[in-house]
Amino acid sequence: MQLIMKYVYSFKEGNANMRELLGGKGANLAEMTNIGLPVPQGFTITTEACTKYYEDGREINQEIQDQINEYIVKMEEVTGKKFGDIENPLLVSVRSGARASMPGMMDTILNLGLNEEVVEVLAKKSNNERWAWDCYRRFIQMYSDVVMEVGKKYFEELIDQMKNKKGVTQDIELDANDLKELARQFKEEYKSKIGTDFPTDPKEQLMGAIKAVFRSWDNPRANVYRRDNDIPYSWGTAVNVQSMAFGNMGDDCGTGVAFTRDPATGEKGLFGEFLTNAQGEDVVAGVRTPMKIAEMAEKFPEAFEDFKNVCKTLEEHYRDMQDMEFTVEHGKLYMLQTRNGKRTAQAALKIACDLVDEGMRTEEEAVLMIEPRNLDTLLHPQFDQEALKATEPIGRGLGASPGAACGKVVFSAEDAEAWAAKKEKVILVRLETSPEDITGMKAAQGILTVRGGMTSHAAVVARGMGECCVSGCGEIVMDEANKKFTLKDKEYHEGDIISIDGTTGNIYEGEIPTVDAVIAGEFGRVMEWADKFRTLGVRTNADTPRDTKKAIELGAEGIGLCRTEHMFFDPERVFNLRKMIIAETVEDREKYLNNLIPYQKGDFKAMYKELKGLPMTVRYLDPPLHEFIPKTEPEMAELAESMGTTVEHVKEVCDSLHEFNPMMGHRGCRLAVTYPEIAKMQTRALIEAAIEVNEEDGLSIEPEIMIPLVGEVKELKFVKDVVVETAELIKKERNSTIKYHIGTMIEIPRAALTAGEIAKEAEFFSFGTNDLTQMTFGFSRDDAGKFLPSYYEHKIYEQDPFAKLDQIGVGKLVKMAVEDGKKTRPDIHLGICGEHGGDPSSVEFCNSIGLTYVSCSPFRVPIARLAAAQAAIKAGIEKKN
Ligand code: ADP
Ligand code: MG
Ligand code: MG
């Protein structure tokens, strides 16, 4: 007999640990029910049902439908109400809820179960006609938008027309008759768009709504959000069906959202917003400006007291800051949602430290609570305090998401994207944002909205993205149609530069200078904990003393990749390099290369001085030579003259360097195989630099020399011999006993496949996962951006493999190379120096396969340190279990 799958759970049957199956919202509704909080009852249809829906070609199969119907009956028994009943009708909400919260990304429908007959019953029984018709018109609006995809704007237009006709500005000023008329118009609109009558059977409405929520998992904005937040498509969403609590029944009703701590600063204390006589999204949609949660104490003293107790219970239960939704119906409190609240990086650090100090969390747990990626915002420049003091703000909104942003004003998400694509920095200025704006919000430096509070869509999403946001600057008079706004009698047009401060909410004209961020206070404390727990080393990729200094400040333990080609672009240097390229004999090439030694040696010395004894891996010249050749006629003429040759000859040589596929052309160690004198020059510069700095500063630097783009051990051996011969010669000349190490970058699949052989000659491997990804996928990393979007759309790849290490393919090569390398040379030093070195999930992978260190760009060093600590802590927990 086949086991029957259970696709539906009542809130009483679930709990917080069932998040994978019930989604975050469902699992927490169940948990709240079980700890005795007032939750309108209902049931959850599992994420597995969603997966099945997609497997079955976007259909809800009979088995699942049967289980849903069974639970509807149960729900009717629990609530004593019935779907479509004319005595005591049941109205429900149908809510999406994925494993990881995706605020505003998917759809919810409220007041389902209404039809012409039921609405009359409600109106009569409640003696509240306005409420009944308000519910009905909202339902038609949401159902049409979500289920039938009619489009919100048609309905909003009808509401606006109605308000104009009545000479009012707010929805709540419309009376029962107006709302009744609106409901009629809405249904007409529905019929004209869809071609059939609006459905009247509540069960039919319900199946339609459930289907729509499943379908919304695949909507474009949800797909973008998932990619940004590393949420796999395969997870699916659960659907919650819950009986309604009504916040729109009059002035002794209302709805609110609140956090147990300030999501922007982390400060302990109730924080949130409340709106009387309102429902659902009204608070966050910014239609009316809500009141502060504290004001609720006066209007609803009992419900407020209850709510404060609920907050305390929930924080202690979850041991984390909670983000809650609730409704008050005739003075009684109902809890509709709780989750660990999204927070800014700053708030995350403060909350983690406070929870440790309050004895609620261990240091390990605190380290695990912080999203490494979010640290990014703290590492970006902040406004220069002096400059701020000297500048008068032109206006002020709410500091909804901290950060400093300057840019040109744009008025739509599309423009933000288009301008950003042209490398313009923009500030997106909107009346309010909606989920459709997400890609535009991402493209902007910062977001400024006219309406909406601290929990508005713009605020929540910006905080999630770590982007600067100032919301609710009501003084702004918008004129979107003409792409301008007015603030304090001055007009600002598209393209004008403004600066916004997401901490204070201040808005400035022009560009305010910024200063670098520092690690101090709670940030410093958490990073100390992280360093205590991690076992993986963290180095940086840096080519200049300035970057090196910054990276060390941010906690780097050395340089994992110093690219030497960047050191040659200075005019004088490139001129010598060009002569070397044009030269025809070894002697001439050596002569010109020797001119470069003092420069290169100077660079290395400066780097070593900054490193104060920390290690540095130096990669030898990597790019094809044609990247250095002169592009213009005068440049060629100058070069020809200084070498005593003709422009024609210079041109000829330059043309001969043309390659059809430069990425796979004459580059990397291939340069040193054809021109060993390049490797000689670099060795002399490096070894002499190290010897001198050791003497001058009393250090014992051991240079790490990295030969790039090796695919065959003999190729490495050939270059290595050149390096060793030169190095030994210098040691003799200088009477030095300096030690040095020679290793290679593993970035060609063949190198990974023959790593066991290569390790015979290489003392260390550094995985160059940028090239390794490029060559394993066969994608050029400069061109992949053009076609990857189609791959995302068709779910062939969900992530950019250049940003997040492809653990399945590329990772397999890395893992294999690690194992084979260790077999040959058990003490081999192993690192990664691709962009992936700063990506949290890739860092976790590096930890799990036993790398010695990761190396990433300076600003990602703290992210890597935290991610490495989390990986170690998680691995420890797994071992114990
Ligand atoms: P989201 O995940 O976008 O927050 P929700 O499913 O939480 O969507 O619902 C949207 C809004 O509707 C929220 O404000 C929520 O509190 C409200 N809501 C949902 N279900 C009910 C219900 N049964 N009774 C009253 N309000 C509800
Ligand atoms: Mg919600
Ligand atoms: Mg490379």
Side-chain angles (χ1 to χ4, degrees):
M1 211 186 81
Q2 217 193 338
L3 209 64
I4 298 171
M5 283 276 278
K6 185 169 165 63
Y7 287 110
V8 186
Y9 290 78
S10 74
F11 293 168
K12 290 207 175 75
E13 290 173 309
N15 65 56
N17 296 326
M18 294 166 75
R19 158 180 287 271
E20 290 190 9
L21 195 60
L22 303 179
K25 200 178 288 168
N28 287 332
L29 283 169
E31 189 79 7
M32 286 199 289
T33 300
N34 293 334
I35 57 177
L37 301 183
V39 176
Q41 284 305 289
F43 56 85
T44 305
I45 304 156
T46 65
T47 53
E48 288 172 355
C50 178
T51 311
K52 193 87 185 95
Y53 158 88
Y54 281 104
E55 276 171 20
D56 291 345
R58 305 194 173 214
E59 286 300 332
I60 302 178
N61 70 27
Q62 197 54 47
E63 188 188 0
I64 299 174
Q65 291 202 28
D66 288 346
Q67 291 190 24
I68 293 172
N69 286 324
E70 188 188 313
Y71 272 81
I72 292 175
V73 175
K74 282 190 190 161
M75 187 172 172
E76 288 176 336
E77 281 164 11
V78 172
T79 58
K81 295 177 180 175
K82 252 183 140 74
F83 257 143
D85 196 60
I86 42 174
E87 277 303 308
N88 204 0
L90 173 64
L91 300 193
V92 299
S93 63
V94 179
R95 320 171 63 186
S96 62
R99 263 195 240 181
S101 94
M102 298 171 51
M105 288 303 128
M106 287 174 298
D107 298 319
T108 287
I109 295 164
L110 303 179
N111 312 322
L112 185 141
L114 282 171
N115 56 33
E116 209 64 40
E117 212 175 15
V118 174
V119 71
E120 296 285 0
V121 177
L122 277 193
K124 223 169 270 146
K125 276 194 57 169
S126 64
N127 217 355
N128 190 341
E129 244 190 307
R130 186 190 184 278
W131 162 67
W133 287 100
D134 187 44
C135 288
Y136 194 34
R137 70 93 191 164
R138 284 175 190 264
F139 170 55
I140 304 169
Q141 204 174 335
M142 282 187 259
Y143 192 90
S144 306
D145 175 37
V146 174
V147 183
M148 306 316 279
E149 297 172 331
V150 173
K152 275 191 202 103
K153 64 168 192 254
Y154 302 107
F155 299 94
E156 273 156 17
E157 273 165 24
L158 289 171
I159 297 176
D160 283 343
Q161 279 170 23
M162 178 63 80
K163 286 195 280 198
N164 280 342
K165 200 177 110 198
K166 302 284 294 188
V168 300
T169 56
Q170 307 229 321
D171 292 3
I172 39 164
E173 294 170 286
L174 297 173
D175 64 23
N177 279 327
D178 304 333
L179 295 167
K180 191 171 180 172
E181 170 58 17
L182 272 180
R184 196 192 60 74
Q185 291 176 0
F186 284 4
K187 281 197 289 188
E188 221 166 64
E189 185 70 35
Y190 179 95
K191 191 166 181 182
S192 83
K193 287 270 167 354
I194 303 289
T196 56
D197 283 322
F198 190 82
T200 54
D201 175 9
K203 290 201 181 148
E204 182 193 331
Q205 294 172 350
L206 182 63
M207 278 312 163
I210 293 169
K211 237 187 204 178
V213 172
F214 283 158
R215 193 180 58 211
S216 71
W217 177 251
D218 197 26
N219 76 33
R221 61 173 195 265
N223 284 324
V224 170
Y225 186 90
R226 269 196 294 278
R227 209 160 38 249
D228 286 351
N229 291 277
D230 253 354
I231 302 172
Y233 178 73
S234 62
W235 280 3
T237 180
V239 182
N240 302 288
V241 178
Q242 183 176 28
S243 63
M244 289 298 301
F246 294 103
N248 59 339
M249 281 176 109
D251 288 334
D252 61 344
C253 304
T255 183
V257 292
F259 296 85
T260 53
R261 298 174 195 236
D262 186 331
T265 64
E267 211 63 55
K268 191 170 178 169
L270 249 194
F271 184 90
E273 285 160 334
F274 188 79
L275 206 55
T276 50
N277 201 5
Q279 188 176 59
E281 309 276 64
D282 291 1
V283 184
V284 293
V287 281
R288 271 186 279 156
T289 299
M291 60 168 125
K292 293 229 166 62
I293 199 91
E295 292 170 48
M296 206 186 134
E298 292 157 37
K299 289 220 155 145
F300 302 87
E302 271 168 48
F304 188 64
E305 212 40 52
D306 288 347
F307 183 60
K308 277 202 304 196
N309 287 329
V310 166
C311 289
K312 189 160 178 292
T313 306
L314 284 175
E315 251 217 5
E316 282 169 7
H317 188 74
Y318 287 97
R319 298 184 300 139
D320 197 356
M321 181 262 261
Q322 294 299 294
D323 166 3
M324 301 152 297
E325 292 174 3
F326 63 96
T327 279
V328 175
E329 178 179 321
H330 295 317
K332 180 171 172 10
L333 173 75
Y334 290 96
M335 294 304 298
L336 296 170
Q337 188 170 334
T338 193
R339 62 181 169 217
N340 295 339
K342 292 219 183 293
R343 61 203 75 178
T344 62
Q346 236 164 337
L349 293 167
K350 171 150 178 60
I351 291 170
C353 288
D354 285 353
L355 289 177
V356 169
D357 294 340
E358 288 163 31
M360 291 229 257
R361 292 277 183 179
T362 63
E363 289 174 3
E364 282 96 330
E365 285 173 331
V367 165
L368 287 176
M369 284 174 80
I370 291 152
E371 178 63 57
R373 253 180 317 196
N374 286 357
L375 295 182
D376 199 37
T377 43
L378 300 179
L379 299 168
H380 285 302
Q382 319 277 319
F383 284 131
D384 176 18
Q385 287 304 318
E386 292 305 310
L388 272 191
K389 269 184 222 147
T391 319
E392 234 359 85
I394 51 169
R396 181 162 192 184
L398 302 167
S401 179
C406 310
K408 294 182 176 168
V409 170
V410 293
F411 289 92
S412 74
E414 295 80 60
D415 286 342
E417 265 185 276
W419 288 46
K422 290 182 290 182
K423 303 267 182 279
E424 294 274 15
K425 294 188 169 178
V426 299
I427 306 282
L428 177 60
V429 184
R430 303 277 288 149
L431 215 46
E432 65 214 7
T433 64
S434 69
E436 289 82 36
D437 294 339
I438 184 158
T439 46
M441 293 170 73
K442 220 170 70 178
Q445 303 294 307
I447 300 149
L448 171 61
T449 72
V450 180
R451 295 189 198 147
M454 291 294 282
T455 52
S456 64
H457 176 266
V460 172
V461 173
R463 281 200 291 272
M465 298 193 296
E467 186 167 322
C468 170
C469 173
V470 173
S471 70
C473 178
E475 284 178 300
I476 291 179
V477 182
M478 269 295 242
D479 182 357
E480 277 179 27
N482 295 306
K483 299 199 171 178
K484 65 175 191 195
F485 68 81
T486 312
L487 182 56
K488 302 231 175 81
D489 297 328
K490 187 164 175 195
E491 277 188 6
Y492 296 86
H493 297 262
E494 183 180 62
D496 289 351
I497 295 179
I498 59 168
S499 299
I500 58 174
D501 184 334
T503 310
T504 58
N506 282 336
I507 306 160
Y508 303 89
E509 200 173 313
E511 189 176 334
I512 307 271
T514 53
V515 292
D516 281 356
V518 286
I519 299 185
E522 276 123 6
F523 194 0
R525 198 169 164 210
V526 169
M527 292 317 293
E528 255 171 51
W529 292 335
D531 288 345
K532 196 160 77 183
F533 301 128
R534 74 182 159 91
T535 50
L536 193 63
V538 177
R539 292 195 187 187
T540 191
N541 300 346
D543 322 321
T544 63
R546 190 168 163 269
D547 284 355
T548 307
K549 181 162 185 265
K550 184 84 233 166
I552 292 172
E553 263 170 41
L554 296 175
E557 298 159 312
I559 292 180
L561 174 64
C562 172
R563 304 175 176 91
T564 50
E565 55 271 19
H566 296 178
M567 296 172 167
F568 294 119
F569 282 110
D570 184 79
E572 214 170 320
R573 301 178 182 199
V574 86
F575 197 64
N576 269 297
L577 194 64
R578 285 172 180 171
K579 286 190 192 167
M580 186 286 286
I581 293 170
I582 305 298
E584 288 181 312
T585 64
V586 179
E587 290 71 34
D588 277 349
R589 274 198 295 275
E590 279 184 341
K591 182 175 83 193
Y592 296 126
L593 281 166
N594 284 343
N595 291 343
L596 283 168
I597 290 179
Y599 296 114
Q600 177 115 78
K601 185 160 110 186
D603 291 332
F604 289 142
K605 281 185 77 172
M607 297 290 282
Y608 277 132
K609 295 244 169 198
E610 207 57 76
L611 281 163
K612 301 187 177 67
L614 294 174
M616 167 163 78
T617 304
V618 175
R619 180 178 73 182
Y620 278 16
L621 199 63
D622 184 56
L625 293 180
H626 53 75
E627 287 193 11
F628 299 100
I629 59 177
K631 304 275 178 309
T632 64
E633 195 88 14
E635 280 177 312
M636 291 191 190
E638 194 190 349
L639 191 61
E641 201 193 312
S642 83
M643 295 181 69
T645 177
T646 61
V647 183
E648 286 66 39
H649 175 67
V650 169
K651 237 194 197 146
E652 232 174 70
V653 179
C654 291
D655 288 345
S656 75
L657 288 172
H658 169 81
E659 290 180 320
F660 289 101
N661 194 344
M663 273 296 174
M664 299 196 179
H666 192 187
R667 56 174 285 223
C669 65
R670 295 158 209 168
L671 292 169
V673 170
T674 34
Y675 307 120
E677 49 278 12
I678 299 178
K680 275 189 207 164
M681 180 278 279
Q682 293 202 286
T683 305
R684 182 165 286 277
L686 181 61
I687 300 287
E688 285 187 3
I691 292 175
E692 289 172 22
V693 175
N694 279 346
E695 277 168 10
E696 288 161 22
D697 296 359
L699 298 172
S700 48
I701 300 163
E702 299 180 2
E704 297 172 7
I705 295 162
M706 179 151 76
I707 312 299
L709 222 70
V710 163
E712 156 62 43
V713 66
K714 287 189 208 135
E715 177 181 43
L716 171 61
K717 178 80 169 57
F718 177 86
V719 183
K720 183 178 167 179
D721 286 346
V722 174
V723 173
V724 171
E725 195 190 300
T726 314
E728 293 305 319
L729 186 71
I730 300 165
K731 279 168 70 177
K732 248 192 226 126
E733 288 167 14
R734 298 264 177 153
N735 200 8
S736 160
T737 56
I738 192 166
K739 283 204 189 109
Y740 56 93
H741 306 277
I742 300 175
T744 184
M745 218 152 150
I746 303 284
E747 54 187 333
I748 289 187
R750 194 177 190 280
L753 294 166
T754 60
E757 285 298 306
I758 291 179
K760 287 181 188 158
E761 297 298 336
E763 285 177 68
F764 63 85
F765 287 168
S766 177
F767 291 93
T769 47
N770 296 344
D771 264 319
L772 191 59
T773 298
Q774 169 164 271
M775 299 205 208
T776 303
F777 276 79
F779 285 178
S780 140
R781 72 176 117 136
D782 302 311
D783 299 313
K786 284 191 206 138
F787 52 79
L788 273 174
S790 312
Y791 279 73
Y792 301 149
E793 194 184 320
H794 299 298
K795 316 275 168 0
I796 300 171
Y797 292 123
E798 286 182 44
Q799 294 285 341
D800 177 352
F802 294 105
K804 193 180 156 194
L805 188 73
D806 160 47
Q807 297 182 12
I808 300 169
V810 179
K812 192 168 176 180
L813 283 173
V814 174
K815 206 167 159 212
M816 207 169 79
V818 166
E819 283 162 10
D820 290 352
K822 278 187 174 166
K823 267 185 222 149
T824 306
R825 191 187 287 267
D827 63 345
I828 190 164
H829 213 239
L830 299 162
I832 178 175
C833 62
E835 277 309 298
H836 305 100
D839 168 65
S841 67
S842 310
V843 170
E844 189 173 343
F845 176 75
C846 294
N847 188 70
S848 75
I849 59 168
L851 294 196
T852 324
Y853 68 87
V854 296
S855 187
C856 56
S857 54
F859 282 100
R860 291 172 98 183
V861 165
I863 298 175
R865 283 161 72 195
L866 182 59
Q870 295 187 344
I873 294 167
K874 281 190 219 159
I877 294 170
E878 251 164 50
K879 229 190 206 160
K880 256 190 240 157
N881 292 340

